[in-house]
Amino acid sequence: MNAGWPGWTLRHRVAALLTVVLVLLLGLATAEALVAEKNRQNVEAVLVKSGPLRVQGQELLSALLDQETSVRGYAVNGDRKDLAPYKTGLERERDTVASMRDLAGDYPDMLRALMVVEERAAQWRAKVALPVISTTERSGPEAGQALITDQTRQQFDDVRDSIDTLQNEILIVGQQAAGRVKETSNVLVVLLIAAATVVAVAGAVMLLSLDRMLFRPVAALVGQVREVAAGDYLHHIEGSGPPELRRLADDIDGMRQKIAEDLEEVRQARERIEWVNNQLQKQAEELTRSNRDLEQFAYVASHDLQEPLRKVASFCQLLQRRYAGQLDQRADQYIAFAVDGAQRMQRLINDLLAFSRIGRLTTGFTEFGLDKVMGDVAAQTEAARQYADAELTWDQLPVIRGEEALLTNLLANLVNNSIKFRRPDVPSRVHVSARLVDDEWEITCRDNGIGIEPEFADKIFVIFQRLHSRDAYPGTGIGLAIVKKIVEYHGGRVWVDTGTEEGTAIRFTLPALSEDVAASRAVDDGEPAAGEESTGDAAATGDGAAAPVGRQPDGAVREEMPEGTTRGGTTGGMKETVG
């Protein structure tokens, strides 16, 4: 197997084969490059030189014909305007000859033919054109016509003959260049075929060589390794082929001898990993207990602060009522500051208590309708809506599973925020809607208030974060943090829709009931859900109720309501308007 490659490594053997192939391909590539360059020059001679030269030859003939026709017309009419084509033709002749001289620089015969054309054209102008023009100017058209004879016409025919000779020379050059293009193209094709043959032969030789030098020895080595992997650790692995494979076989055989030791080390490592996992589990339990203790501490601390703070606030208010107007103005101001600070601290502690109770004190999840929750929210926010002349509306909302009290608090916070951050002199409008997106209900609370800049869309859900001063908009800055914690406690997410053109739209998701998801998918598949009335029946009712909820192709709910109508009752939405 190795008679022709004594002591050569696999890399050296492959490198030798590749070197031979590379030398052959480089030689062919060099020859192809030279032939291709020659072919390009020939193609350029055809396309860039001979072709344009023929066109310019016709242009030259046209310019001379214009001169001859202009001179004859002037001799007949005696009108100087008839000489305009003569002058134009003379300029065209000069430009064309200059251009042809540039293109024909590599063709001496063509340049000589071009010079003959120039000489004959100059002779015709000197002996015929200029005398006719000057005689006509001095003696009139009859004298000018007398100079135009058969001899003068023969002189112009000589000019035409010289142009024909030039065109024939251009044609010969073009034909010769085309012939050379064909020859070089044939040579280039032969070289490409030779290169393809070299590649094919080299590939075949490489494949056979790799089969002998690599594939067979590797297959034999793999067979022996599989025997060891099957459990025969006493099987001696012997390599064959190139030196690299023989050394690889020796290394594998050395690993075979260490397998027993490695198995023992694996067992010990497994025991250590189990011990580490136990320690991690204990630390996780300690962290859980620590978090629970921190929440308990926050609750107890907030609860225990209530009594002394209540006493401070009570006595400050007592001082304010009893001694108001009896002390100086600055004393009254200091007492008012103390009362305001105590009251704000009470509100802050109450909000902290509410925040800490979320998820810690639970009554368990139950199924309930958000329509009922919105009724409770409308009752809770009635005073604020009356004061702000606000309108609260909501569409038909779904039945979900969660804690009713927490979700009531969530929606009340959102509605109160929408009323608080209203625009001056613009009646506040708050609307709550829902749609089914995949397996979640997406609830939206939209208003026409002052709105939120996109860069603050995440900041508003951080506890104690405020975007406005306390004098402009009162509050502790914890309301939306409570909203976020309630939503996440129910397995959803909350965000601000920054694409709203007017006001603010806060969206949050809640897991949908399995029957709602199944009904949505049935509608998407074209199967009416059980107990669902046809849209035609619903649309036929003329009582002003909203159309039934339609589901979009992506699984969402599209709430279709005729313009100018108000949802009401149990099949549409609800509307609360105060003020």
Side-chain angles (χ1 to χ4, degrees), residues 269-516:
R270 184 183 294 111
E271 292 178 355
R272 289 195 297 270
I273 291 174
E274 291 178 355
W275 181 82
V276 170
N277 286 337
N278 290 333
Q279 294 298 317
L280 290 175
Q281 185 175 0
K282 291 179 181 179
Q283 291 179 3
E285 293 175 354
E286 289 292 334
L287 183 61
T288 301
R289 284 196 297 270
S290 175
N291 289 336
R292 188 166 54 249
D293 293 342
L294 285 175
E295 291 182 356
Q296 182 67 23
F297 172 77
Y299 173 75
V300 172
S302 300
H303 185 273
D304 292 346
L305 284 175
Q306 291 279 9
E307 179 57 29
L309 185 60
R310 189 180 300 112
K311 184 175 295 185
V312 171
S314 299
F315 278 101
C316 286
Q317 291 172 352
L318 185 61
L319 283 173
Q320 187 178 37
R321 288 195 301 269
R322 177 168 297 181
Y323 296 103
Q326 299 182 21
L327 303 176
D328 59 6
Q329 183 177 0
R330 179 162 295 184
D332 291 340
Q333 185 179 17
Y334 289 164
I335 293 175
F337 287 160
V339 171
D340 180 67
Q343 291 175 346
R344 284 194 287 109
M345 181 63 73
Q346 282 181 326
R347 290 194 296 270
L348 182 60
I349 290 176
N350 288 331
D351 289 342
L352 281 174
L353 281 173
F355 187 80
S356 65
R357 288 191 182 106
I358 297 173
R360 189 172 59 86
L361 302 177
T362 177
T363 58
F365 282 15
T366 58
E367 293 184 7
F368 57 90
L370 289 181
D371 283 327
K372 176 180 179 298
V373 170
M374 284 304 302
D376 296 338
V377 170
Q380 292 180 17
T381 60
E382 182 176 359
R385 289 185 289 114
Q386 286 180 343
Y387 175 78
D389 190 19
E391 179 183 87
L392 171 62
T393 60
W394 65 91
D395 295 334
Q396 180 180 356
L397 300 178
V399 174
I400 57 97
R401 182 174 178 81
E403 287 197 30
E404 185 174 352
L406 291 180
L407 291 176
T408 302
N409 188 11
L410 182 154
L411 290 169
N413 268 317
L414 293 179
V415 172
N416 280 324
N417 262 14
S418 297
I419 297 174
K420 180 195 302 183
F421 296 101
R422 63 187 180 274
R423 288 181 293 169
D425 303 327
V426 177
S428 179
R429 301 290 183 267
V430 186
H431 184 73
V432 179
S433 61
R435 65 170 185 163
L436 187 62
V437 180
D438 295 333
D439 57 350
E440 293 180 322
W441 283 107
E442 182 182 291
I443 316 296
T444 302
C445 181
R446 185 188 304 271
D447 60 57
N448 61 343
I450 62 175
I452 298 174
E453 296 296 331
E455 58 265 28
F456 303 122
D458 296 328
K459 183 179 179 181
I460 61 173
F461 295 105
V462 180
I463 191 171
F464 299 135
Q465 291 293 323
R466 301 176 57 89
L467 304 182
H468 307 277
S469 65
R470 187 176 292 106
D471 295 336
Y473 296 99
T476 60
I478 200 174
L480 290 179
I482 291 176
V483 168
K484 181 179 180 182
K485 190 171 183 181
I486 293 174
V487 170
E488 291 177 349
Y489 172 66
H490 284 80
R493 53 195 175 87
V494 61
W495 69 96
V496 176
D497 185 355
T498 57
T500 304
E501 296 181 357
E502 180 186 36
T504 304
I506 296 182
R507 305 180 187 274
F508 62 93
T509 61
L510 295 174
L513 299 179
S514 57
E515 50 266 30
D516 290 338

Side-chain angles (χ1 to χ4, degrees), residues 48-69:
V48 180
K49 295 184 177 180
S50 63
L53 281 170
R54 286 187 61 82
V55 175
Q56 291 179 358
Q58 293 295 331
E59 179 68 18
L60 179 59
L61 177 60
S62 175
L64 291 171
L65 287 174
D66 288 346
Q67 296 178 43
E68 194 268 342
T69 303

Side-chain angles (χ1 to χ4, degrees), residues 198-215:
V198 169
V199 171
V201 173
V205 173
M206 182 69 71
L207 182 61
L208 294 176
S209 301
L210 289 178
D211 182 64
R212 292 185 58 192
M213 295 184 300
L214 182 62
F215 298 151

